[in-house]
């Protein structure tokens, strides 16, 4: 069944666990739907008459028991008032409908049978094999071909490829545990937006070692040409089961690898020094170009590598060619989010070159797996000057919620007027212009590796992710197109402080009980206004079957401008309230984070894995200011356990025009709480790029 609750009951505390247990039901998953409720139950006048986000719960139970309950419901009187109250929150109850069949493209117009991807509810508590085996028997009765060996499980969802006669698609929907039936995705071809822009030019490759050879980096792509000449920094590996190399895929892999190693090339300029060595994993072969289910096979190859090896950074510039869906999660997104949830790896993902597709149908939105919450979705800018804009081909947001801000940011990806110059030939090396998010993503990974390579202190993946988002230069009005903004590929812009400012990085393991207080090192004696920019980032486990409650962890962040005093007692009605904690001031809230028509629920931003905002306060109002950070947990939309190893990071910038030496004053005033980050021996301090 699909049970829709009233929009006022989105928070995890309203989950009707008692009612579900009383009726002997099982939770299968959830998604969001926008409804106009029959009754407004809160004082928010703006809610009346407007569609609001409401939770839809997928529930399963014994049919006979439900029929018996429906006959007796008029006289039903539960003993528990909480169960009775939960029943009142139900807006509607339906069986799964025909909307589970997603719109088909013209790709298979000439075929009588269509390769499809099936998503099934397959929860652990019902036995992982029961639903799958029953579905297989059902498909045999319909004369629909399937391959159980390709079935993949992510959380409570099973993904299975089938080949169905066109006239049988509606019949497949009769299986009640089927959540989605959609066309099998094709992998985005290895052609950039354009093959080349302008004339090529020769490139002389340096022989310098990488700055930080201890960093482990992987690129998953189409391989490299024979005698590529990058052996000093690149180890070429073939994933298990991959077919023979394809020339166009190798050319794509060469340009992607060039972007990470050297950044955008410049004719007549020396090639930049690589920050790290890289394993280039070839995951695409000639058999994939003729397969209807290459997306399943390529994901299997990437997963096999990531579950057997640990990497500090990975880049993926390929993926399924369809836009993100608010209701359901791609197997690419689900599996990679699960693998990366431990917070050990920074993953940059090209968000797609579909930005010019139909906006009314949402076909311009980011493509999986860039909608993942444990990954960085990278879009493309048309230049890297101060007048940059989103490249017209670069996919747009929003992402799913949580994961609303997608792409996370944009990096230079090239345009007709300012192409991305990357290696295009070997022996001798030559470069030519190209463009695409495929090259912006590894350029962003290069920036992240550069930050890690710069310092002796080991920065965790959440800290690197926070720093990249923190230094993205953007505008809230263009957030849906460019995320948090434009990421400079100049290392100096990411690791150096200007006059009148100080950058601070905190990284912590969240305790399983209590809260963490992070002091903002605002020195005494400042005058005027103090600008505070804060970016929080963390990695967490996910529930793929619960699209509306996808993340299992969140941060409750309270900003306290003055931690040295308590507010005066006050009356609330007739009751005297005596505060026991310093007063808080709003810093992050759904109102300044979400678009009003998307998912503006009171606690929505709490479940986002990345938050960034700038706030200005009078210096006189700040007295040992701090963020109090609490860890909130949920599973399947209701209360859950806290993970014992959830990492989070805070990137913080303080600016004040009365203190040119603010950085030095912050170090002195912080005592031993803060330490200056030290560059590696022999690493030159980079210059700032002109703005």
């Amino acid at each position: 069944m699909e049970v829709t609750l009233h929009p006022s009951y989105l928070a995890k505390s309203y989950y009707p666990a008692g009612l579900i247990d009383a009726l002997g039901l099982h939770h299968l998953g959830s998604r969001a739907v926008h409804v106009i409720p029959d009754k407004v139950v809160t004082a928010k006048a703006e809610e009346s008459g407007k569609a609001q986000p409401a939770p839809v719960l997928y529930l399963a139970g014994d049919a006979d028991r439900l029929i018996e309950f429906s006959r007796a419901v008029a006289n039903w009187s539960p003993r528990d008032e909480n169960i009775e109250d939960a029943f009142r929150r139900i807006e509607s109850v339906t069986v799964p409908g025909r909307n589970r069949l997603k719109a088909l493209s013209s790709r298979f117009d000439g075929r009588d049978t269509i390769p499809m991807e099936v998503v099934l509810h397959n929860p652990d508590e019902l036995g992982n094999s029961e639903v799958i085996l029953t579905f297989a028997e059902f498909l045999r009765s319909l004369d629909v071909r399937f391959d159980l060996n390709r079935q993949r499980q992510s959380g409570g969802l099973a993904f299975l490829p089938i080949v169905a006669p066109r006239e049988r698609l509606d019949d497949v929907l009769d299986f009640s545990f089927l959540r989605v039936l959609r066309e099998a995705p094709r992998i985005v071809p290895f052609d950039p937006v354009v093959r080349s822009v302008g004339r090529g030019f020769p490139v002389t490759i340096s022989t310098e070692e990488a700055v930080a050879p201890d960093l482990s980096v992987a690129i998953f792509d189409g391989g490299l040409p024979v005698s590529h000449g990058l052996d000093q920094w690149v180890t070429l590996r073939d994933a298990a089961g991959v077919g023979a190399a394809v020339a166009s895929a190798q050319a794509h892999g060469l340009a992607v690898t060039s972007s990470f190693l050297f950044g955008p090339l410049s004719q007549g300029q020396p090639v930049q020094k690589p920050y790290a060595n890289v394993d280039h994993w070839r995951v695409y072969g000639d058999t994939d170009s003729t397969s209807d289910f290459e997306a399943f096979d390529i994901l299997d190859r990437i997963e096999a590598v990531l579950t057997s090896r640990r990497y500090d950074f990975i880049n993926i510039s390929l993926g399924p060619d369809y836009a993100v869906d608010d209701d359901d999660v791609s197997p690419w997104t689900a599996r990679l989010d699960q693998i990366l949830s431990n917070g050990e790896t920074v993953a940059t993902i090209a968000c797609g070159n579909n930005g010019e597709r139909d906006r009314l149908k949402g076909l311009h939105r980011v493509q999986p797996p860039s909608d993942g919450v444990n990954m960085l979705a990278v879009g493309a800018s048309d230049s890297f000057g101060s007048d940059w804009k989103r490249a017209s081909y670069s996919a747009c947001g929003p992402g799913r919620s949580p994961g609303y801000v997608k792409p996370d940011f944009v990096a230079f990806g090239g345009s007709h007027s300012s192409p991305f110059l990357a290696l295009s030939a070997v022996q001798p090396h030559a470069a030519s212009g190209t463009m695409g998010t495929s090259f912006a993503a590894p350029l962003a990974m290069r920036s992240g590796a550069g930050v890690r390579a710069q310092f002796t202190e080991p920065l965790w993946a959440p800290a690197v992710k926070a720093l990249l988002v923190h230094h993205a230069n953007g505008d809230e009005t263009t957030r849906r197109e460019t995320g948090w903004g434009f990421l400079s590929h100049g290392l100096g812009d990411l690791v150096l402080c200007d006059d009148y400012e100080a950058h601070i990085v905190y990284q912590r393991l969240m305790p399983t009980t209590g809260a963490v207080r992070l002091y903002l090192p605002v020195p005494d004696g400042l005058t005027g206004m103090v600008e505070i920019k804060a970016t929080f980032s963390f990695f967490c486990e996910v529930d793929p079957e619960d699209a509306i409650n996808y993340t299992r962890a969140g941060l409750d962040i309270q900003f306290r401008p003055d931690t040295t005093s308590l507010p005066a007692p006050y009356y609330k009605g007739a009751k005297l309230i005596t505060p026991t904690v310093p007063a808080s001031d709003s810093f992050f809230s759904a109102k300044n984070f979400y678009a009003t028509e998307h998912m503006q629920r009171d606690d929505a931003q709490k479940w986002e894995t990345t938050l960034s905002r700038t706030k200005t306060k009078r210096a006189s109002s700040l007295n040992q200011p701090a963020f109090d950070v609490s860890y909130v947990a949920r599973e399947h939309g209701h209360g859950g356990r806290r993970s014992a190893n959830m990492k989070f990071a805070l990137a913080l910038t303080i600016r004040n025009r009365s203190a040119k030496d603010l950085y030095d004053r912050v170090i002195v005033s912080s005592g031993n709480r803060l330490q200056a980050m030290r560059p590696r021996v022999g690493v030159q301090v980079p210059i700032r790029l002109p703005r």
Side-chain angles (χ1 to χ4, degrees):
M1 303 179 298
E2 294 183 5
V3 177
T4 303
L5 302 184
H6 191 281
S8 297
Y9 301 108
L10 272 165
K12 70 173 185 176
S13 57
Y14 294 122
Y15 182 83
L19 176 64
I20 291 173
D21 289 341
L23 298 180
L25 300 174
H26 296 273
H27 177 100
L28 300 178
S30 65
R31 63 180 175 90
V33 65
H34 281 72
V35 301
I36 300 176
D38 293 332
K39 183 178 180 180
V40 176
V41 297
T42 70
K44 294 182 180 179
E46 67 268 21
E47 290 183 351
S48 182
K50 292 186 177 181
Q52 303 160 47
V56 176
L57 306 180
Y58 293 100
L59 304 174
D62 180 77
D64 291 337
R65 183 170 179 178
L66 289 170
I67 292 171
E68 180 183 348
F69 173 74
S70 70
R71 292 170 177 165
V73 69
N75 300 315
W76 181 57
S77 180
R79 297 179 181 179
D80 191 331
E81 291 183 359
N82 292 327
I83 295 178
E84 187 174 351
D85 184 53
F87 192 77
R88 292 193 187 101
R89 299 172 193 161
I90 296 176
E91 193 75 11
S92 66
V93 179
T94 63
V95 294
R98 317 311 285 182
N99 60 349
R100 291 173 295 162
L101 174 60
K102 301 300 180 180
L104 301 177
S105 70
S106 59
R107 180 184 172 199
F108 299 112
D109 281 354
R111 287 179 55 169
D112 294 330
T113 58
I114 305 177
M116 302 292 290
E117 180 181 76
V118 170
V119 184
L120 299 175
H121 290 292
N122 191 34
D124 289 334
E125 59 267 28
L126 297 185
N128 276 136
S129 62
E130 183 177 346
V131 172
I132 297 295
L133 295 178
T134 307
F135 184 62
E137 183 179 345
F138 173 69
L139 291 181
R140 291 189 190 98
S141 72
L142 298 178
D143 197 26
V144 172
R145 289 189 287 125
F146 60 91
D147 183 357
L148 287 185
N149 291 327
R150 280 182 160 171
Q151 177 257 328
R152 295 294 179 265
Q153 185 82 17
S154 291
L157 297 179
F159 300 89
L160 178 70
I162 67 171
V163 180
R166 189 180 296 272
E167 66 273 11
R168 285 294 196 183
L169 292 180
D170 281 343
D171 295 332
V172 175
L173 296 176
D174 289 337
F175 193 76
S176 60
F177 277 68
L178 186 145
R179 175 157 173 165
V180 180
L181 180 60
R182 59 192 172 208
E183 187 179 292
R186 62 188 291 267
I187 290 297
V188 177
F190 281 98
D191 291 330
V193 179
V194 293
R195 282 196 175 276
S196 63
V197 179
R199 300 179 62 181
F201 58 91
V203 175
T204 301
I205 301 297
S206 73
T207 58
E208 293 184 283
E209 292 186 356
V211 174
D214 54 306
L215 293 183
S216 56
V217 180
I219 289 174
F220 296 93
D221 215 273
L224 296 172
V226 177
S227 303
H228 52 77
L230 303 177
D231 306 85
Q232 181 169 348
W233 311 286
V234 180
T235 301
L236 180 59
R237 302 180 186 275
D238 285 353
V242 69
V246 177
S248 61
Q250 291 175 309
H252 185 273
L254 177 64
V256 167
T257 304
S258 168
S259 174
F260 170 70
L261 291 177
F262 313 119
L265 302 174
S266 298
Q267 188 170 4
Q269 299 293 322
V271 173
Q272 298 186 62
K273 188 175 183 179
Y275 291 127
N277 300 327
V278 59
D279 286 346
H280 184 117
W281 285 92
R282 187 172 67 85
V283 294
Y284 185 89
D286 59 349
T287 56
D288 297 310
S289 60
T290 58
S291 171
D292 288 328
F293 300 111
E294 73 271 26
F296 278 78
D297 297 332
I298 294 174
L299 175 59
D300 284 348
R301 293 167 197 153
I302 295 174
E303 181 180 345
V305 174
L306 293 180
T307 53
S308 61
R309 297 168 181 254
R310 179 194 170 279
Y311 285 104
D312 297 311
F313 295 87
I314 66 168
N315 180 82
I316 300 175
S317 289
L318 73 163
D321 188 15
Y322 62 83
V324 62
D325 185 343
D326 289 323
D327 294 344
D328 297 293
V329 182
S330 160
W332 279 65
T333 304
R335 287 301 299 129
L336 290 174
D337 262 339
Q338 289 178 320
I339 292 170
L340 298 169
S341 65
N342 58 13
E344 298 287 338
T345 304
V346 178
T348 51
I349 313 292
C351 73
N353 298 329
N354 53 304
E356 295 176 305
R357 294 183 186 172
D358 193 323
R359 288 185 171 237
L360 293 178
K361 295 180 180 179
L363 302 181
H364 69 303
R365 292 175 65 184
V366 297
Q367 298 183 330
S370 69
D371 58 320
V373 295
N374 294 323
M375 295 169 262
L376 285 167
V378 185
S381 71
D382 62 352
S383 70
F384 47 79
S386 59
D387 58 345
W388 67 270
K389 299 187 298 295
R390 177 187 67 89
S392 60
Y393 57 79
S394 182
C396 302
R400 293 177 298 108
S401 176
Y404 172 73
V405 179
K406 293 290 176 179
D408 289 88
F409 45 70
V410 297
F412 177 55
S415 62
H416 285 286
S417 59
S418 181
F420 191 107
L421 301 178
L423 289 179
S424 58
V426 299
Q427 302 302 334
H429 287 107
S432 61
T434 186
M435 57 191 195
T437 58
S438 286
F439 317 114
L443 180 60
M445 182 170 73
R446 173 178 168 82
S447 295
V451 172
R452 276 286 303 268
Q454 183 74 16
F455 301 110
T456 58
E457 290 81 7
L459 289 173
W460 296 348
V464 174
K465 182 179 176 182
L467 281 168
L468 294 180
V469 169
H470 189 75
H471 288 290
N473 177 28
D475 188 332
E476 189 172 334
T477 61
T478 61
R479 182 167 290 172
R480 283 196 173 197
E481 294 197 352
T482 62
W484 300 109
F486 172 73
L487 177 69
S488 170
H489 65 272
L491 185 58
D493 293 339
L494 304 178
V495 301
L496 298 181
C497 298
D498 277 334
D499 293 336
Y500 307 103
E501 75 177 10
H503 301 313
I504 302 99
V505 179
Y506 293 97
Q507 53 185 20
R508 290 287 302 270
L509 274 176
M510 279 303 300
T512 54
T513 58
V516 171
R517 173 164 288 181
L518 303 174
Y519 283 98
L520 282 64
V522 178
D524 296 333
L526 300 184
T527 60
M529 306 301 291
V530 177
E531 180 184 291
I532 302 168
K533 182 174 184 179
T535 302
F536 282 88
S537 178
F538 64 93
F539 289 55
C540 70
E541 297 175 343
V542 297
D543 284 322
E545 64 269 41
D546 286 285
I548 192 175
N549 299 304
Y550 184 63
T551 49
R552 282 194 170 190
L555 298 180
D556 186 355
I557 304 167
Q558 301 291 326
F559 174 57
R560 305 195 189 279
D562 183 354
T563 60
T564 64
S565 60
L566 299 178
Y570 63 94
Y571 281 94
K572 187 174 183 179
K575 185 177 181 180
L576 178 64
I577 305 295
T578 303
T580 58
V581 294
S584 64
D585 191 359
S586 65
F587 204 98
F588 302 103
S589 69
K591 192 169 184 179
N592 57 47
F593 185 76
Y594 283 92
T596 54
E597 71 274 15
H598 188 75
M599 185 59 75
Q600 191 172 331
R601 49 190 273 196
D602 290 340
D603 69 339
Q605 83 292 342
K606 181 187 299 182
W607 304 104
E608 295 286 336
T609 58
T610 303
L611 289 169
S612 184
R613 195 186 175 210
T614 301
K615 193 177 181 78
T616 301
K617 301 287 292 183
R618 289 191 178 278
S620 57
S621 69
L622 300 174
N623 193 355
Q624 297 184 32
F627 285 112
D628 283 348
V629 185
S630 300
Y631 180 0
V632 288
R634 63 181 177 184
E635 291 182 38
H636 308 299
H638 53 95
R641 60 178 177 82
R642 288 185 176 189
S643 171
N645 58 353
M646 194 189 87
K647 299 175 179 178
F648 84 100
L650 165 63
L652 181 69
T653 295
I654 299 172
R655 295 187 179 94
N656 177 255
R657 296 303 300 177
S658 72
K660 187 175 183 179
D661 60 343
L662 182 61
Y663 175 87
D664 295 325
R665 293 173 66 174
V666 164
I667 293 292
V668 171
S669 64
S670 68
N672 293 323
R673 290 204 303 264
L674 297 177
Q675 293 182 347
M677 297 182 67
R678 297 165 297 176
R680 290 176 184 248
V681 175
V683 173
Q684 295 182 346
V685 178
I687 61 171
R688 301 288 300 257
L689 291 181
R691 298 189 178 186

